[in-house]
């Protein structure tokens, strides 16, 4: 979708539709909506008075103005209650209006910046969120639909601001929003791609292509190199697949390439059958989403590069396919990961934590400022938090608080759960240092305790995105399938970090 920004009067826009908004409970609209109401002889007041439109969150109404508005359609979108108004709501309202326009068959859409004027938000933030909503609301994964080569979507989205003095801020915010939202879509595409077409080597290739486009540096370890590096856990997970594992290192130097980096680690299990501890067949197809942590990391690195953030940021992807075959690793095996602690395998289905510990141990050499891993790690986390929030665990209260706040700002809620000594005790092994499963109780937390055992002296946080990485219901800014969760959160987190 093309994004354009213009200064002027939206009522003069000749796009297929224009978007205006209303706060819940307002009966006499102001701003651009008020101007439209006057141009339409009180049509919008009538709509409100008639009770057909109250401005509730994401509510839409369509008007067909005969005069006074150049566009054939006027879409009104509700912003909800003014007291509860945030940039999150801007994104959702913009996505709702976009979906409505697409449903009507519109190809070009112009919108005001929700919250930029009357809403009282920072105009750059409001522009960013309006653009994010339009791009995310326009997202559809149609790569595999043979008879759908012309899916309904917008070709052009135009942001219209009346006040010329805001132009620079609007452009800055819109550009940021476009980069972030397109990076979320990139992560969604990776997540939605099925296992047959996205083995570890292909996932790594996608990261490399992206790196070439954006100027990131990218190094890929093949299976031999993974073994040589001593990553005994990642290589064990991958050894049961005919399609070997990969380890990817993406780096953005930032303003100071020698600064202590912030490191993001993604679980990249391109398909999780459970291995010898085979999963039941029901719903197993969703295990194509088991690389969503790495999709978030690759998408985030794309945005980091395109935004040219001043921070030094490194993305690590631990990619493998968890399959049962004659060479697969087995329960009872004892592994030698890169970290110094040996692991006894109790379940080959607890493979994500194995892929991650080699990446966590690898990150120590960078003497990082912070390490954040993202993983569709446990069904237990879905049981605890459902699809509403990611689990957030870690060893550093400041880091946890910062991620929690980024989650609240972006709407990608991350909820802190504790790692307690009892959880640590549950993963002790009789024959090795640790075992890879602590059983059913507190499964999200014993998994986190396992990761923690490979963290050396750096602030570390873990996001369990098992419940948030994919969705079975449509939200205004998220269709069914991969959500791209993590990209917006991590970028927001970074943008709130000082550089030194
Ligand atoms: N990829 C799964 C976790 C998962 C489950 C993600 C449901 C998304 C939805 C992970 O590798 C796994 O199988 N975890 C096991 C761990 C257990 C064997 C200790 C689980 O959660 O059952
Ligand atoms: Mn598994
Ligand atoms: Zn898994």
């Amino acid at each position: 979708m093309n994004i354009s920004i213009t200064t002027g009067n939206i009522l003069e826009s000749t796009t297929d539709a224009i978007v205006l908004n209303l706060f819940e409970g307002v009966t006499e609209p102001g701003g651009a909506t008020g101007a439209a109401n006057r141009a339409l002889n009180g049509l919008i007041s009538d709509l409100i008075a008639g009770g057909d439109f109250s401005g509730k969150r994401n509510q839409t109404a369509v008007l067909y103005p005969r005069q006074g508005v150049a566009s054939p359609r006027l879409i009104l979108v509700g912003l909800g209650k003014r007291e509860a108004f945030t940039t999150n709501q801007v994104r959702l309202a913009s996505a709702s209006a976009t979906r409505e326009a697409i449903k009507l068959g519109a190809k070009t859409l112009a919108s005001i910046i929700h919250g930029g004027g009357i809403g009282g938000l920072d105009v750059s933030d409001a522009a960013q969120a309006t653009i994010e909503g339009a791009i995310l609301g326009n997202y559809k994964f149609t790569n595999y639909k043979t008879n759908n080569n012309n899916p309904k979507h917008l070709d052009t989205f135009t942001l219209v601001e009346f006040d010329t003095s805001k132009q620079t801020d609007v452009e800055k915010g819109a550009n940021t929003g476009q980069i972030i939202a397109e990076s979320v879509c990139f992560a969604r595409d990776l997540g939605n791609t099925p296992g047959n077409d996205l083995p570890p080597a292909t996932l790594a290739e996608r990261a490399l292509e992206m790196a070439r486009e954006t100027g990131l540096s990218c190094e890929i370890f093949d299976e031999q190199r993974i073994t040589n590096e001593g990553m005994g856990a990642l290589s064990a997970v991958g050894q049961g697949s005919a399609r070997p594992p990969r380890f990817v290192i993406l780096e953005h130097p930032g303003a100071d390439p020698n600064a202590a980096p912030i490191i993001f680690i993604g679980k990249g299990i391109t398909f999780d059958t459970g291995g010898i501890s085979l999963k039941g067949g029901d719903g197993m197809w969703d295990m194509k989403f088991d690389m969503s942590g790495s999709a978030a990391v690759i998408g985030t690195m794309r945005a980091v590069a395109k935004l040219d953030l001043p921070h030094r940021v490194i993305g690590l992807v631990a990619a493998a396919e968890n399959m049962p075959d004659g060479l697969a690793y087995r329960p009872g095996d004892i592994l030698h990961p890169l970290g110094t602690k040996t692991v006894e395998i109790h379940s080959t289905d607890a493979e994500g934590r194995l892929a991650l510990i080699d990446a966590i141990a690898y990150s120590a050499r960078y003497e990082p400022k912070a390490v954040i891993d993202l993983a569709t790690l446990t069904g237990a986390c879905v049981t605890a938090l459902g699809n509403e929030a990611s689990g957030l665990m870690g060893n550093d209260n400041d880091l946890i608080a910062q991620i929690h706040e980024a989650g609240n700002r972006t709407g990608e809620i991350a909820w802190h759960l504790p790692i307690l000594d009892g959880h640590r005790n549950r993963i002790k092994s009789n024959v090795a240092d640790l075992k890879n499963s602590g059983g059913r109780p507190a499964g999200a937390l014993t998994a986190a305790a396992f990761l923690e055992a490979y963290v050396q002296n750096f602030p570390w946080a873990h996001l369990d995105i098992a419940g948030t990485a994919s969705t079975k219901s449509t939200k205004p800014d998220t269709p069914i399938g991969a959500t791209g969760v993590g990209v917006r959160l991590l970028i927001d987190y970074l943008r709130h970090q000082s550089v030194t």
Side-chain angles (χ1 to χ4, degrees), residues 267 272 274 279 287 290 322 348-352 377:
K267 169 177 172 180
D272 182 12
K279 287 182 182 297
M287 285 302 126
D290 215 19
N322 189 22
T348 62
D349 197 12
E351 85 296 338
L377 205 61

Side-chain angles (χ1 to χ4, degrees), residues 141-155:
F141 184 70
T142 53
N143 295 5
Y144 291 81
K145 292 278 195 190
T146 19
N147 293 320
N148 198 5
N149 38 23
N150 191 18
K152 277 181 138 189
H153 64 80
L154 291 183
D155 291 332

Side-chain angles (χ1 to χ4, degrees), residues 20-27 47-48 51-61 76-82 84-85 89-90 92-94 96-97 114 476:
L20 300 173
N21 62 34
L22 194 76
F23 278 110
E24 187 171 348
V26 171
T27 49
L47 184 74
I48 300 166
D52 293 350
F53 187 78
S54 62
K56 277 198 176 55
R57 286 194 288 146
N58 309 328
Q59 186 188 16
T60 54
L76 271 178
V77 64
L79 299 181
K81 296 210 167 71
R82 195 186 282 268
F85 187 60
Q89 183 47 40
V90 173
L92 292 170
S94 181
S96 303
H114 304 299

Side-chain angles (χ1 to χ4, degrees), residues 454-479:
Y454 294 85
V455 174
Q456 298 169 33
N457 268 326
F458 46 75
W460 158 78
H462 158 60
L463 282 160
D464 192 332
I465 59 171
T468 50
S470 66
T471 178
K472 292 182 168 25
S473 65
T474 298
K475 290 203 189 99
D477 63 347
T478 320

Side-chain angles (χ1 to χ4, degrees), residues 57 153 160 174 213 216 244 270 313 381 399 428 434 439 461 488:
R57 286 194 288 146
H153 64 80
V160 185
E213 256 172 58
L216 290 169
T270 58
V313 188
C381 192
L399 179 61
K428 287 183 178 157
L434 297 173
R488 292 193 300 104

